[in-house]
Protein backbone atom coordinates (compact mmCIF):
# COMPACT_ATOMS: atom_id res chain seq x y z
CA UNK A 1 0.00 0.00 0.00
CA UNK A 2 1.43 3.39 -0.95
CA UNK A 3 1.72 6.08 1.71
CA UNK A 4 -0.23 9.27 1.09
CA UNK A 5 2.14 12.01 -0.06
CA UNK A 6 1.50 15.71 -0.49
CA UNK A 7 2.79 17.38 -3.67
CA UNK A 8 6.03 19.33 -3.50
CA UNK A 9 4.66 22.84 -2.91
CA UNK A 10 7.13 24.65 -0.69
CA UNK A 11 9.61 27.09 -2.22
CA UNK A 12 12.90 25.20 -2.19
CA UNK A 13 16.45 25.82 -3.19
CA UNK A 14 16.83 23.24 -5.87
CA UNK A 15 20.40 21.95 -6.03
CA UNK A 16 20.42 22.20 -9.81
CA UNK A 17 18.02 25.00 -10.64
CA UNK A 18 18.55 27.25 -7.61
CA UNK A 19 15.78 29.05 -5.66
CA UNK A 20 12.32 28.78 -7.21
CA UNK A 21 8.91 30.25 -6.51
CA UNK A 22 6.23 28.09 -4.90
CA UNK A 23 4.15 26.32 -7.58
CA UNK A 24 0.42 26.60 -8.03
CA UNK A 25 -1.54 23.37 -7.61
CA UNK A 26 -1.96 22.04 -11.12
CA UNK A 27 -4.34 19.22 -10.33
CA UNK A 28 -7.32 21.58 -10.24
CA UNK A 29 -7.44 21.50 -14.05
CA UNK A 30 -10.32 19.72 -15.72
CA UNK A 31 -9.56 16.19 -16.94
CA UNK A 32 -9.30 16.02 -20.74
CA UNK A 33 -7.73 13.94 -23.47
CA UNK A 34 -4.89 14.88 -25.80
CA UNK A 35 -5.46 13.73 -29.37
CA UNK A 36 -3.03 14.71 -32.14
CA UNK A 37 -3.90 15.63 -35.75
CA UNK A 38 -3.48 11.97 -36.79
CA UNK A 39 -6.01 10.73 -34.24
CA UNK A 40 -3.39 9.33 -31.86
CA UNK A 41 -4.19 9.74 -28.17
CA UNK A 42 -1.22 10.96 -26.14
CA UNK A 43 -1.18 9.09 -22.84
CA UNK A 44 2.54 8.63 -22.18
CA UNK A 45 4.96 11.31 -20.97
CA UNK A 46 8.71 10.81 -20.83
CA UNK A 47 10.26 13.37 -18.53
CA UNK A 48 13.98 14.09 -18.63
CA UNK A 49 14.94 15.43 -15.20
CA UNK A 50 18.55 16.23 -16.06
CA UNK A 51 20.81 16.14 -19.12
CA UNK A 52 23.78 15.23 -16.91
CA UNK A 53 25.15 11.75 -16.48
CA UNK A 54 27.92 9.85 -14.74
CA UNK A 55 28.59 7.91 -17.97
CA UNK A 56 29.47 9.15 -21.47
CA UNK A 57 28.23 6.31 -23.67
CA UNK A 58 29.97 6.73 -27.00
CA UNK A 59 26.79 6.43 -29.13
CA UNK A 60 24.85 8.84 -26.86
CA UNK A 61 27.25 11.67 -26.04
CA UNK A 62 30.44 13.19 -27.31
CA UNK A 63 33.43 13.06 -24.96
CA UNK A 64 33.38 16.74 -24.01
CA UNK A 65 29.68 17.46 -23.68
CA UNK A 66 28.44 20.91 -22.71
CA UNK A 67 25.57 20.56 -20.29
CA UNK A 68 22.68 22.95 -19.75
CA UNK A 69 23.28 25.89 -17.40
CA UNK A 70 21.78 25.04 -14.01
CA UNK A 71 19.63 28.17 -13.95
CA UNK A 72 17.72 26.94 -17.00
CA UNK A 73 16.80 23.65 -15.40
CA UNK A 74 13.36 23.34 -13.82
CA UNK A 75 13.18 22.78 -10.09
CA UNK A 76 11.73 19.57 -8.74
CA UNK A 77 8.46 21.25 -7.86
CA UNK A 78 8.21 22.74 -11.36
CA UNK A 79 8.74 19.26 -12.80
CA UNK A 80 6.01 18.02 -10.47
CA UNK A 81 3.64 20.78 -11.61
CA UNK A 82 4.24 20.07 -15.28
CA UNK A 83 3.84 16.31 -14.82
CA UNK A 84 0.65 16.92 -12.87
CA UNK A 85 -0.67 19.12 -15.68
CA UNK A 86 -0.06 16.32 -18.18
CA UNK A 87 -1.69 13.75 -15.90
CA UNK A 88 -4.74 16.01 -15.65
CA UNK A 89 -4.80 16.00 -19.45
CA UNK A 90 -4.85 12.22 -19.77
CA UNK A 91 -1.28 10.97 -19.32
CA UNK A 92 -1.50 7.49 -17.71
CA UNK A 93 2.15 6.46 -17.90
CA UNK A 94 5.07 8.60 -16.77
CA UNK A 95 8.67 7.59 -17.37
CA UNK A 96 11.47 9.51 -15.67
CA UNK A 97 14.63 9.61 -17.77
CA UNK A 98 17.60 11.82 -18.61
CA UNK A 99 20.69 12.02 -18.75
CA UNK A 100 20.93 9.79 -15.76
CA UNK A 101 17.86 10.58 -13.63
CA UNK A 102 19.28 9.12 -10.43
CA UNK A 103 22.28 11.50 -10.39
CA UNK A 104 19.98 14.47 -9.85
CA UNK A 105 20.08 15.43 -6.19
CA UNK A 106 16.91 14.77 -4.21
CA UNK A 107 15.27 13.10 -7.22
CA UNK A 108 13.55 10.61 -4.93
CA UNK A 109 11.48 13.53 -3.61
CA UNK A 110 9.99 13.88 -7.08
CA UNK A 111 9.23 10.16 -7.34
CA UNK A 112 7.67 10.16 -3.89
CA UNK A 113 5.58 13.20 -4.70
CA UNK A 114 4.41 11.86 -8.08
CA UNK A 115 3.48 8.58 -6.39
CA UNK A 116 0.33 10.33 -5.11
CA UNK A 117 -1.11 10.14 -8.64
CA UNK A 118 -0.78 6.34 -8.56
CA UNK A 119 -2.58 6.22 -5.27
CA UNK A 120 -5.32 8.48 -6.60
CA UNK A 121 -5.75 6.27 -9.67
CA UNK A 122 -4.86 9.15 -12.00
CA UNK A 123 -1.72 7.40 -13.21
CA UNK A 124 -1.30 3.71 -14.16
CA UNK A 125 2.48 3.60 -14.07
CA UNK A 126 5.41 5.63 -12.77
CA UNK A 127 8.64 4.23 -14.09
CA UNK A 128 12.26 4.97 -14.84
CA UNK A 129 15.01 4.40 -17.39
CA UNK A 130 18.43 4.29 -15.74
CA UNK A 131 22.00 3.20 -16.37
CA UNK A 132 21.79 1.38 -13.03
CA UNK A 133 24.83 3.01 -11.43
CA UNK A 134 22.89 4.54 -8.52
CA UNK A 135 20.34 1.78 -7.94
CA UNK A 136 21.94 0.34 -4.82
CA UNK A 137 21.17 3.67 -3.10
CA UNK A 138 17.70 4.20 -4.49
CA UNK A 139 15.99 0.90 -5.35
CA UNK A 140 14.05 0.50 -2.09
CA UNK A 141 12.88 4.12 -2.11
CA UNK A 142 11.74 3.81 -5.73
CA UNK A 143 9.62 0.83 -4.77
CA UNK A 144 8.21 2.70 -1.78
CA UNK A 145 7.26 5.58 -4.13
CA UNK A 146 5.15 3.19 -6.22
CA UNK A 147 7.60 2.28 -9.00
CA UNK A 148 7.21 -1.39 -9.93
CA UNK A 149 9.10 -1.84 -13.20
CA UNK A 150 12.27 -0.17 -14.43
CA UNK A 151 14.42 -0.28 -17.55
CA UNK A 152 18.15 -0.63 -17.06
CA UNK A 153 20.38 0.13 -20.04
CA UNK A 154 23.20 -2.35 -20.42
CA UNK A 155 25.02 -2.97 -23.69
CA UNK A 156 27.67 -5.49 -22.71
CA UNK A 157 28.48 -8.06 -20.01
CA UNK A 158 32.23 -7.56 -20.51
CA UNK A 159 33.67 -5.21 -17.87
CA UNK A 160 36.46 -3.92 -20.12
CA UNK A 161 34.15 -3.27 -23.03
CA UNK A 162 31.67 -1.65 -20.67
CA UNK A 163 34.31 0.74 -19.35
CA UNK A 164 35.29 1.70 -22.89
CA UNK A 165 31.73 2.05 -24.18
CA UNK A 166 30.56 4.18 -21.25
CA UNK A 167 33.90 6.04 -21.03
CA UNK A 168 34.64 4.90 -17.48
CA UNK A 169 31.51 3.19 -16.19
CA UNK A 170 31.90 0.35 -13.70
CA UNK A 171 30.03 -2.83 -14.65
CA UNK A 172 30.18 -4.25 -11.09
CA UNK A 173 28.37 -1.17 -9.81
CA UNK A 174 25.59 -1.65 -12.36
CA UNK A 175 25.32 -5.36 -11.59
CA UNK A 176 25.01 -4.56 -7.88
CA UNK A 177 22.33 -2.01 -8.80
CA UNK A 178 20.33 -4.57 -10.77
CA UNK A 179 20.60 -6.97 -7.86
CA UNK A 180 19.39 -4.26 -5.45
CA UNK A 181 16.44 -3.52 -7.73
CA UNK A 182 15.41 -7.17 -7.83
CA UNK A 183 15.82 -7.47 -4.06
CA UNK A 184 13.59 -4.41 -3.65
CA UNK A 185 10.86 -6.11 -5.69
CA UNK A 186 11.28 -4.12 -8.92
CA UNK A 187 10.84 -5.90 -12.24
CA UNK A 188 13.84 -5.08 -14.43
CA UNK A 189 13.93 -4.96 -18.22
CA UNK A 190 17.31 -4.67 -19.89
CA UNK A 191 17.69 -2.29 -22.85
CA UNK A 192 20.60 -2.99 -25.15
CA UNK A 193 21.62 -0.84 -28.10
CA UNK A 194 22.77 -3.22 -30.86
CA UNK A 195 26.25 -2.19 -31.97
CA UNK A 196 28.04 -3.88 -34.85
CA UNK A 197 31.53 -5.02 -33.90
CA UNK A 198 30.92 -4.23 -30.21
CA UNK A 199 28.15 -6.35 -28.73
CA UNK A 200 26.94 -8.38 -31.72
CA UNK A 201 29.00 -11.31 -30.42
CA UNK A 202 27.25 -11.13 -27.04
CA UNK A 203 23.66 -11.62 -28.11
CA UNK A 204 23.46 -15.21 -26.85
CA UNK A 205 25.22 -14.33 -23.57
CA UNK A 206 22.75 -11.50 -22.96
CA UNK A 207 19.76 -13.76 -23.68
CA UNK A 208 21.12 -16.46 -21.35
CA UNK A 209 22.02 -13.99 -18.58
CA UNK A 210 18.57 -12.37 -18.73
CA UNK A 211 16.96 -15.82 -18.70
CA UNK A 212 18.92 -16.82 -15.60
CA UNK A 213 17.95 -13.66 -13.73
CA UNK A 214 14.34 -13.59 -14.97
CA UNK A 215 14.72 -10.34 -16.91
CA UNK A 216 13.12 -9.31 -20.18
CA UNK A 217 15.47 -7.93 -22.83
CA UNK A 218 14.95 -5.35 -25.56
CA UNK A 219 17.34 -4.56 -28.37
CA UNK A 220 17.36 -1.02 -29.80
CA UNK A 221 18.69 0.30 -33.11
CA UNK A 222 21.17 3.13 -32.72
CA UNK A 223 19.61 6.44 -33.77
CA UNK A 224 21.39 9.35 -35.51
CA UNK A 225 20.98 11.95 -32.75
CA UNK A 226 23.62 14.57 -31.95
CA UNK A 227 27.19 14.97 -33.19
CA UNK A 228 29.77 12.58 -31.82
CA UNK A 229 33.35 11.60 -32.53
CA UNK A 230 32.71 8.35 -34.44
CA UNK A 231 30.28 7.78 -37.30
CA UNK A 232 27.30 5.85 -35.91
CA UNK A 233 26.78 4.32 -39.35
CA UNK A 234 29.97 2.32 -38.72
CA UNK A 235 28.38 0.34 -35.92
CA UNK A 236 24.71 0.58 -36.82
CA UNK A 237 23.30 -2.94 -36.72
CA UNK A 238 19.81 -3.47 -38.19
CA UNK A 239 17.68 -5.53 -35.82
CA UNK A 240 16.32 -7.53 -38.75
CA UNK A 241 19.84 -9.02 -38.91
CA UNK A 242 20.02 -9.61 -35.14
CA UNK A 243 16.64 -11.29 -35.11
CA UNK A 244 17.49 -13.56 -38.04
CA UNK A 245 20.68 -14.57 -36.25
CA UNK A 246 18.90 -15.25 -32.93
CA UNK A 247 16.32 -17.43 -34.69
CA UNK A 248 19.06 -19.81 -35.81
CA UNK A 249 19.69 -20.87 -32.21
CA UNK A 250 16.65 -19.88 -30.16
CA UNK A 251 12.96 -20.57 -30.53
CA UNK A 252 11.11 -17.28 -30.86
CA UNK A 253 7.38 -17.49 -30.29
CA UNK A 254 4.90 -14.80 -31.27
CA UNK A 255 3.77 -12.61 -28.38
CA UNK A 256 1.05 -10.01 -28.40
CA UNK A 257 2.49 -8.38 -25.28
CA UNK A 258 2.67 -4.58 -25.55
CA UNK A 259 4.34 -2.42 -22.91
CA UNK A 260 2.78 0.84 -24.12
CA UNK A 261 6.02 1.62 -25.98
CA UNK A 262 7.41 1.02 -29.46
CA UNK A 263 8.92 -2.41 -28.76
CA UNK A 264 7.57 -5.46 -30.62
CA UNK A 265 7.89 -8.54 -28.42
CA UNK A 266 8.61 -12.22 -28.95
CA UNK A 267 8.90 -14.94 -26.31
CA UNK A 268 12.05 -17.05 -26.10
CA UNK A 269 10.82 -20.61 -25.50
CA UNK A 270 14.11 -21.79 -23.94
CA UNK A 271 14.22 -19.04 -21.27
CA UNK A 272 10.55 -18.14 -20.98
CA UNK A 273 11.48 -14.43 -21.11
CA UNK A 274 10.32 -11.74 -23.49
CA UNK A 275 12.56 -10.37 -26.20
CA UNK A 276 11.73 -6.93 -27.59
CA UNK A 277 12.92 -5.10 -30.70
CA UNK A 278 12.83 -1.31 -31.05
CA UNK A 279 13.39 -0.62 -34.72
CA UNK A 280 13.17 3.08 -35.54
CA UNK A 281 15.31 2.59 -38.64
CA UNK A 282 14.21 -0.72 -40.16
CA UNK A 283 10.55 -0.67 -39.14
CA UNK A 284 9.18 2.74 -38.32
CA UNK A 285 6.65 2.46 -35.49
CA UNK A 286 5.33 6.04 -35.56
CA UNK A 287 1.74 5.20 -36.50
CA UNK A 288 1.08 3.97 -32.96
CA UNK A 289 2.99 6.76 -31.18
CA UNK A 290 1.28 7.72 -27.93
CA UNK A 291 4.01 9.78 -26.29
CA UNK A 292 5.60 13.19 -25.91
CA UNK A 293 8.89 14.14 -24.28
CA UNK A 294 9.61 16.93 -21.87
CA UNK A 295 13.16 18.14 -21.24
CA UNK A 296 14.47 19.31 -17.87
CA UNK A 297 14.16 22.91 -19.10
CA UNK A 298 10.47 22.53 -19.95
CA UNK A 299 10.77 22.06 -23.71
CA UNK A 300 8.12 19.72 -25.01
CA UNK A 301 9.22 17.62 -27.98
CA UNK A 302 6.27 16.08 -29.75
CA UNK A 303 8.61 13.68 -31.60
CA UNK A 304 12.04 12.31 -30.64
CA UNK A 305 13.21 12.58 -34.22
CA UNK A 306 12.08 16.13 -35.06
CA UNK A 307 13.23 19.57 -33.99
CA UNK A 308 9.86 21.25 -33.41
CA UNK A 309 9.14 21.87 -29.74
CA UNK A 310 7.05 24.02 -27.43
CA UNK A 311 8.48 26.01 -24.53
CA UNK A 312 6.36 25.22 -21.46
CA UNK A 313 8.74 26.87 -19.01
CA UNK A 314 7.43 30.30 -19.90
CA UNK A 315 3.76 29.64 -19.03
CA UNK A 316 4.99 27.72 -16.01
CA UNK A 317 7.07 30.59 -14.67
CA UNK A 318 5.31 33.75 -15.83
CA UNK A 319 2.42 33.46 -13.41
CA UNK A 320 0.02 32.00 -15.98
CA UNK A 321 -2.84 29.99 -14.55
CA UNK A 322 -3.46 26.29 -15.07
CA UNK A 323 -5.77 26.93 -18.03
CA UNK A 324 -3.05 28.86 -19.90
CA UNK A 325 -0.58 26.03 -19.33
CA UNK A 326 -3.19 23.53 -20.46
CA UNK A 327 -3.84 25.57 -23.62
CA UNK A 328 -0.08 25.71 -24.37
CA UNK A 329 0.03 21.90 -24.12
CA UNK A 330 -2.99 21.56 -26.43
CA UNK A 331 -1.39 23.86 -28.98
CA UNK A 332 1.79 21.75 -28.90
CA UNK A 333 -0.13 18.49 -29.35
CA UNK A 334 -1.86 20.00 -32.39
CA UNK A 335 1.65 20.17 -33.95
CA UNK A 336 2.65 16.56 -33.24
CA UNK A 337 4.14 15.35 -36.54
CA UNK A 338 3.32 12.12 -38.28
CA UNK A 339 6.73 10.61 -37.56
CA UNK A 340 10.50 10.88 -37.60
CA UNK A 341 12.82 10.83 -40.63
CA UNK A 342 15.71 8.82 -39.18
CA UNK A 343 18.04 7.47 -41.87
CA UNK A 344 21.37 5.76 -41.21
CA UNK A 345 23.41 6.51 -44.25
CA UNK A 346 27.14 6.88 -44.72
CA UNK A 347 26.56 9.69 -47.24
CA UNK A 348 24.43 11.63 -44.81
CA UNK A 349 26.94 13.86 -43.03
CA UNK A 350 24.88 15.42 -40.20
CA UNK A 351 22.79 13.51 -37.65
CA UNK A 352 19.01 13.53 -38.27
CA UNK A 353 18.58 15.81 -35.25
CA UNK A 354 21.35 17.85 -33.58
CA UNK A 355 20.17 17.06 -30.02
CA UNK A 356 21.95 14.26 -28.23
CA UNK A 357 19.72 11.59 -26.70
CA UNK A 358 20.51 12.72 -23.15
CA UNK A 359 18.66 16.02 -23.78
CA UNK A 360 15.29 14.58 -24.71
CA UNK A 361 15.68 11.32 -22.81
CA UNK A 362 15.71 7.92 -24.50
N1 LIG B 1 20.92 7.33 -18.59
C1 LIG B 1 19.78 6.49 -18.67
C2 LIG B 1 20.08 5.21 -19.38
O1 LIG B 1 21.14 5.11 -20.02
O2 LIG B 1 19.25 4.32 -19.31
C3 LIG B 1 18.57 7.15 -19.27
C4 LIG B 1 18.79 8.04 -20.46
S1 LIG B 1 19.45 7.25 -21.89
C5 LIG B 1 19.53 8.61 -23.02
C6 LIG B 1 18.06 6.31 -22.40
C7 LIG B 1 18.30 5.24 -23.43
O3 LIG B 1 18.68 5.84 -24.65
C8 LIG B 1 19.38 4.24 -23.10
O4 LIG B 1 18.84 2.95 -23.19
C9 LIG B 1 20.42 4.46 -24.16
O5 LIG B 1 21.09 3.27 -24.49
C10 LIG B 1 19.60 4.99 -25.29
N2 LIG B 1 20.33 5.77 -26.27
C11 LIG B 1 21.16 6.82 -26.08
N3 LIG B 1 21.62 7.31 -27.24
C12 LIG B 1 21.06 6.56 -28.22
C13 LIG B 1 21.12 6.56 -29.65
N4 LIG B 1 21.84 7.46 -30.30
N5 LIG B 1 20.40 5.63 -30.31
C14 LIG B 1 19.64 4.71 -29.64
N6 LIG B 1 19.52 4.66 -28.30
C15 LIG B 1 20.23 5.57 -27.60
FE1 LIG C 1 24.33 8.52 -19.81
FE2 LIG C 1 22.27 7.01 -20.52
FE3 LIG C 1 23.51 8.55 -22.36
FE4 LIG C 1 24.80 6.47 -21.37
S1 LIG C 1 22.91 6.41 -22.59
S2 LIG C 1 25.63 8.54 -21.60
S3 LIG C 1 24.07 6.37 -19.33
S4 LIG C 1 22.38 9.27 -20.63
Amino acid sequence: MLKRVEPITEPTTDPIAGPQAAPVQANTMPASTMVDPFGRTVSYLRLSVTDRCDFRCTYCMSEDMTFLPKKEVLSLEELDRLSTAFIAKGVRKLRITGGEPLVRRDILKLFTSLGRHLEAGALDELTLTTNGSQLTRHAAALYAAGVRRINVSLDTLDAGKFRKLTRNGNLDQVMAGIDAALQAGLAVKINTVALRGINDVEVDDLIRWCGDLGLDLTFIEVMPMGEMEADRADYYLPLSVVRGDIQKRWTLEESDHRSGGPARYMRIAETGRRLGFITPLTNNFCEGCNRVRLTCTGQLYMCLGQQDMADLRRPLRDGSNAETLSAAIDEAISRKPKGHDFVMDKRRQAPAVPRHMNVTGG
Side-chain angles (χ1 to χ4, degrees):
M1 187 61 194
L2 299 171
K3 271 206 329 277
R4 168 139 198 91
V5 177
E6 296 305 320
I8 306 173
T9 53
E10 291 302 306
T12 60
T13 300
D14 185 86
I16 290 184
Q20 302 295 329
V24 195
Q25 292 287 327
N27 54 6
T28 52
M29 287 191 297
S32 58
T33 309
M34 296 178 284
V35 181
D36 79 1
F38 303 93
R40 298 169 298 192
T41 300
V42 175
S43 57
Y44 183 4
L45 176 67
R46 297 175 76 113
L47 174 65
S48 172
V49 294
T50 178
D51 64 331
R52 291 165 195 253
C53 187
D54 49 346
F55 293 175
R56 297 281 184 280
C57 301
T58 50
Y59 55 80
C60 175
M61 295 190 183
S62 65
E63 190 150 20
D64 57 341
M65 288 288 285
T66 307
F67 293 104
L68 291 160
K70 292 184 180 180
K71 64 178 185 335
E72 288 188 17
V73 174
L74 299 182
S75 67
L76 293 177
E77 71 268 31
E78 286 174 320
L79 292 171
D80 186 311
R81 275 181 72 199
L82 269 182
S83 305
T84 301
F86 276 93
I87 292 165
K89 293 184 69 62
V91 158
R92 304 291 312 179
K93 176 170 174 176
L94 176 54
R95 179 176 298 279
I96 307 297
T97 180
E100 173 46 42
L102 296 183
V103 300
R104 179 152 179 181
R105 202 180 315 157
D106 288 338
I107 191 62
L108 260 294
K109 285 186 184 165
L110 181 65
F111 278 98
T112 305
S113 174
L114 291 172
R116 74 189 184 277
H117 296 299
L118 295 168
E119 195 189 10
L123 193 61
D124 296 331
E125 185 169 29
L126 175 61
T127 186
L128 157 81
T129 298
T130 174
N131 65 24
S133 68
Q134 310 299 315
L135 276 174
T136 47
R137 289 199 289 143
H138 293 310
L142 286 166
Y143 189 91
V147 176
R148 292 294 176 265
R149 299 189 302 165
I150 62 171
N151 289 351
V152 178
S153 306
L154 181 65
D155 302 317
T156 174
L157 296 171
D158 176 311
K161 231 188 254 184
F162 185 83
R163 188 170 291 282
K164 216 169 148 194
L165 193 60
T166 56
R167 298 194 181 100
N168 226 18
N170 179 340
L171 182 63
D172 285 344
Q173 196 182 336
V174 173
M175 290 298 181
I178 292 170
D179 189 44
L182 295 173
Q183 295 295 330
L186 296 167
V188 174
K189 180 167 78 71
I190 300 296
N191 278 349
T192 300
V193 176
L195 302 163
R196 182 190 299 280
I198 298 178
N199 62 8
D200 43 1
V201 290
E202 287 190 68
V203 168
D204 289 348
D205 290 344
L206 283 160
I207 290 176
R208 238 176 266 117
W209 176 75
C210 285
D212 291 347
L213 286 184
L215 317 178
D216 290 340
L217 169 65
T218 295
F219 286 107
I220 305 172
E221 284 173 343
V222 69
M223 291 172 240
M225 297 186 64
E227 289 290 353
M228 47 177 277
E229 289 79 6
D231 187 344
R232 286 190 188 86
D234 289 341
Y235 46 74
Y236 164 59
L237 180 56
L239 288 185
S240 47
V241 173
V242 176
R243 184 170 160 164
D245 183 48
I246 292 173
Q247 275 170 325
K248 290 179 192 154
R249 294 175 303 280
W250 303 87
T251 315
L252 299 190
E253 297 169 345
E254 290 299 328
S255 162
D256 53 11
H257 172 77
R258 294 304 307 267
S259 63
R264 298 287 175 273
Y265 285 94
M266 308 290 288
R267 188 178 164 278
I268 307 176
E270 290 83 353
T271 67
R273 302 311 311 179
R274 286 192 195 106
L275 179 65
F277 297 95
I278 299 183
T279 54
L281 282 298
T282 54
N283 185 11
N284 180 320
F285 41 65
C286 301
E287 75 283 352
C289 184
N290 61 351
R291 72 207 38 213
V292 287
R293 296 159 195 269
L294 195 54
T295 71
C296 62
T297 57
Q299 296 182 331
L300 183 70
Y301 282 90
M302 289 70 82
C303 175
L304 179 66
Q306 302 285 355
Q307 276 297 79
D308 188 29
M309 60 88 183
D311 173 24
L312 297 184
R313 187 175 57 183
R314 189 181 302 175
L316 190 72
R317 284 190 173 169
D318 72 0
S320 298
N321 59 23
E323 282 69 29
T324 308
L325 179 59
S326 174
I329 294 172
D330 285 338
E331 193 280 324
I333 299 297
S334 77
R335 288 192 271 131
K336 186 167 162 61
K338 192 166 181 195
H340 64 71
D341 306 310
F342 287 143
V343 181
M344 193 65 81
D345 184 349
K346 265 286 201 202
R347 286 159 302 176
R348 188 180 177 125
Q349 294 302 309
V353 292
R355 297 184 319 277
H356 289 88
M357 188 70 107
N358 67 308
V359 175
T360 347

